Amino acid sequence: MPLFRSRAAGLSGVLGTLAGLICAALSTAGPAYAATPTVLYASPSGSGSTCSLSAPCSLDGAKSKVAGLAPGMAAGIDVYLRGGTYRLSQAFALGPSDSGRNGF
């Protein structure tokens, strides 16, 4: 009989530990998927300042727009490059200052 009680107590302890791990996993904050990213568009012939699909901006214009949005960003910023050939007078470079902010 003591052997049965020992097993029952062991199983109870395992189940309690498992339940605790599941609760901890469910309560742990995960990535914020609810925030919708800002979407910008650039085009080889773009000259707009809104960087929208109907009025895309240049590659440098998109970079400037992202720089203005980055300090207060609450979600990701996606930049879509429209098709075509991007002819540049100098190399296009991105550095750490062009990276995400506020955890994005």
Side-chain angles (χ1 to χ4, degrees), residues 19-33:
L21 289 173
I22 290 171
C23 289
L26 292 176
S27 67
T28 302
Y33 293 108

Side-chain angles (χ1 to χ4, degrees), residues 41-90:
Y41 293 89
S43 167
S45 60
S47 61
S49 60
T50 60
C51 300
S52 66
L53 183 58
S54 60
C57 52
S58 66
L59 197 54
D60 286 328
K63 183 177 177 182
S64 296
K65 182 85 169 183
V66 168
L69 294 171
M73 64 190 289
I77 301 172
D78 297 336
V79 179
Y80 291 98
L81 303 180
R82 305 288 295 171
T85 302
Y86 289 78
R87 301 197 188 281
L88 306 172
S89 59
Q90 60 187 24

Side-chain angles (χ1 to χ4, degrees), residues 30-38 66 69-78 95-104:
Y33 293 108
T36 303
T38 299
V66 168
L69 294 171
M73 64 190 289
I77 301 172
D78 297 336
S97 63
D98 299 305
S99 188
R101 309 259 193 317
N102 298 333
F104 296 98

